């Protein structure tokens, strides 16, 4: 938007704090190469447009806003003469993308001193060469530092995830190894028991019946009901009495295995009726090994399935084999992140999922959203660990004002009001030295707001802290700016 060009007075612009130390010659050059424009109420420039001018307000009222999601959020409203905005980094040239970082509008007729961006860059380099070098060093140094520490933040998160994943994989892997070793031992005993039975004076019909009982017993193992500890104890006592009454030694050792397989006294009576008393002890031993091998194979299957699920979760979390920008179901991303972090969350923290499965998939960078979830879960867990390692982490999804809401709620001590406005600032952290970089929430904010055109906010009281991520349901032009 262009304003009405009016006369430029060197004395007037020299009264502004930004130019008060300039010489009359310098003020004259500014008036000659720049201009004074009068803007009526309305927009002056829009965030994201090419930054063509540097604006200094002479009189009036200016409002600066930032785009968050689909909304313009007011950042500053002032009538202070001399405030400036626009192409403030023009002196950095093409090394920085020269666009307006906010939107500016005026609410009353307002006069600005306007300097084209290229002329602003020229006078800065000519009049303040040392200041330009210092500003360049500050800008690029801070940016490089943020990038390096951001990489460090990612490596720390990766290390934590790797440790947690290793721990989670170790448990089922060790269980599978133990079960395999025990299974080998049981199969060897089955072979020996089979030899004893085969050498006995048993008819072919009895052996066939025993094999049939073995098959049906194996089937019962797969269908065994889950029992409470009290129910299991009562059944074990009953089976132990039956086994001892039928002359079977160490019945108290066999009974728990039979109960776990879902066998009862009626089943053992059926076995006794089929094989006869003389073969019953060997038959019971044979069936015991059958049950143990079935249970061990179930344990191996459960363990390897658990490993497979963990590997799938790691692939889902890393998104290494997926497109970097695509339509995703956030519930899949949340589940993979929570599984990857389960070792770090610990047994004292209960995880509650309140998913609205009716919410639609959204266009997103899934690997980077997983990083956001990781940072927010890590923050919540750290807060609750600081309060004794006990609490509840609730992850909720819902539709909110035509956007997808993902909320992480913890029962920790909360965010103190005096630091609430600073928690998304780079390098700000409340963790002890060495435990945090202060970039987790800053990176999360830039991923959500800058890259996904969403919003990230926090609501907190002691015992109820909620970090809320709001994502647009429809695609906007992806922002490739690195985070």
């Amino acid at each position: 938007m262009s304003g009405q060009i009016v006369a430029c007075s060197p004395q007037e612009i020299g009264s502004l704090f930004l130019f008060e130390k300039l010489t009359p010659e310098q003020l004259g050059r500014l008036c000659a190469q720049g201009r004074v424009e009068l803007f009526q109420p309305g927009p002056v420039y829009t965030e994201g447009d090419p930054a063509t001018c540097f604006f200094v307000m002479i009189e009036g009222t200016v409002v600066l806003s930032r785009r968050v999601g689909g909304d313009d959020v007011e950042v500053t409203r002032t009538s202070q003469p001399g405030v400036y905005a626009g192409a403030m980094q023009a002196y950095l040239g093409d090394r920085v993308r020269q666009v307006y970082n906010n939107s500016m509008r005026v609410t009353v007729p307002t006069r600005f001193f306007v300097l084209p961006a290229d002329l602003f860059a020229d006078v800065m380099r000519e009049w303040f060469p040392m200041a330009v070098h210092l500003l360049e060093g500050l800008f690029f140094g801070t940016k490089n530092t943020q990038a390096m520490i951001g990489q460090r933040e990612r490596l720390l998160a990766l290390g934590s995830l790797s440790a947690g994943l290793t721990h989670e994989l170790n448990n089922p892997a060790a269980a599978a190894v133990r079960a395999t070793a025990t299974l080998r031992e049981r199969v060897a005993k089955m072979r020996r028991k089979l030899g004893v039975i085969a050498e006995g004076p048993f008819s072919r019909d009895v052996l066939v019946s025993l094999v049939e009982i073995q098959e049906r017993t194996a089937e019962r193992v797969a269908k065994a009901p889950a029992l409470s500890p009290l129910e299991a104890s009562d059944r074990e006592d009953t089976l132990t009495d039956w086994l001892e009454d039928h002359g079977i030694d160490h019945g108290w050792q066999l009974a728990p295995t039979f109960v776990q397989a879902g066998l009862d006294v009626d089943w053992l009576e059926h076995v006794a009726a089929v094989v006869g008393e003389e073969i019953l002890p060997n038959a019971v031993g044979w069936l015991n090994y059958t049950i143990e091998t079935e249970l061990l194979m179930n344990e191996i299957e459960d363990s390897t399935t658990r490993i497979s699920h963990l590997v799938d979760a790691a692939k889902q979390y890393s998104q290494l084999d997926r497109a970097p920008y695509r339509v995703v179901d956030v519930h899949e991303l949340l589940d993979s992140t929570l599984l990857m972090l389960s070792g770090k969350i610990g047994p004292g923290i209960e995880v509650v999922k309140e998913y609205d499965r009716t919410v639609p998939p959204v266009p997103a960078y899934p690997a980077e959203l997983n990083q956001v979830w990781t940072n927010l879960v890590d923050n919540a867990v750290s807060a609750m660990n600081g309060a004794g390692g006990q609490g509840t982490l609730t992850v909720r999804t819902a539709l909110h004002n035509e956007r997808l809401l993902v909320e992480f709620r913890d029962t920790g001590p909360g965010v103190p009001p005096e630091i609430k406005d600073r928690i998304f600032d780079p390098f700000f952290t409340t963790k002890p030295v060495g435990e945090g970089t202060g970039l987790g929430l800053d990176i999360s904010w830039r991923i959500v707001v800058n890259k996904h055109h969403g919003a990230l906010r926090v609501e907190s009281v002691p015992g109820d802290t909620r970090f809320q991520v709001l994502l647009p349901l429809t695609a906007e032009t992806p922002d490739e700016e690195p985070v």
Side-chain angles (χ1 to χ4, degrees), residues 283-425:
V284 168
W286 168 260
L287 293 178
N288 177 62
Y289 292 142
T290 298
I291 294 168
E292 286 187 331
T293 56
E294 288 294 321
L295 293 175
L296 288 167
M297 285 189 288
N298 287 345
E299 185 177 346
I300 293 171
E301 182 181 18
D302 291 342
S303 298
T304 52
T305 300
R306 170 69 175 167
I307 293 172
S308 178
H309 286 166
L310 286 167
V311 171
D312 287 342
K315 289 176 63 179
Q316 171 71 19
Y317 179 85
S318 65
Q319 297 286 316
L320 291 178
D321 58 347
R322 308 289 183 89
Y325 184 77
R326 61 188 180 87
V327 175
V328 296
D329 181 352
V330 295
H331 302 113
E332 294 179 358
L333 306 183
L334 291 167
D335 285 341
S336 67
T337 300
L338 291 171
L339 182 56
M340 292 289 288
L341 292 173
S342 58
K344 186 169 187 177
I345 291 173
I349 296 175
E350 180 187 6
V351 177
V352 177
K353 300 177 183 179
E354 296 180 357
Y355 292 168
D356 180 356
R357 296 286 185 177
T358 65
V359 300
V362 295
Y365 294 89
E368 297 191 17
L369 284 185
N370 280 341
Q371 187 179 0
V372 174
W373 313 150
T374 300
N375 290 337
L376 297 181
V377 170
D378 181 66
N379 263 22
V381 171
S382 296
M384 289 184 282
N385 284 340
Q390 304 291 323
T392 301
L393 170 64
T394 303
V395 183
R396 182 171 73 95
T397 62
L399 283 179
H400 180 78
N401 294 336
E402 302 301 320
R403 289 191 286 182
L404 170 62
L405 167 67
V406 182
E407 180 181 80
F408 297 83
R409 183 167 74 245
D410 70 73
T411 56
V415 180
E418 61 269 19
I419 68 169
K420 184 178 176 182
D421 293 336
R422 301 175 57 200
I423 60 174
F424 296 112
D425 291 350

Side-chain angles (χ1 to χ4, degrees), residues 91-92 131-144:
Y91 56 86
L92 297 174
V132 168
H133 287 306
L134 291 174
L135 289 170
E136 287 178 341
L138 178 63
F139 179 83
F140 290 111
T142 300
K143 196 167 185 177
N144 291 338

Side-chain angles (χ1 to χ4, degrees), residues 9 59 63 197 238 251 255 293 371 398 411 454:
S9 166
E59 62 176 352
V63 177
I197 293 175
T238 302
T293 56
Q371 187 179 0
T411 56

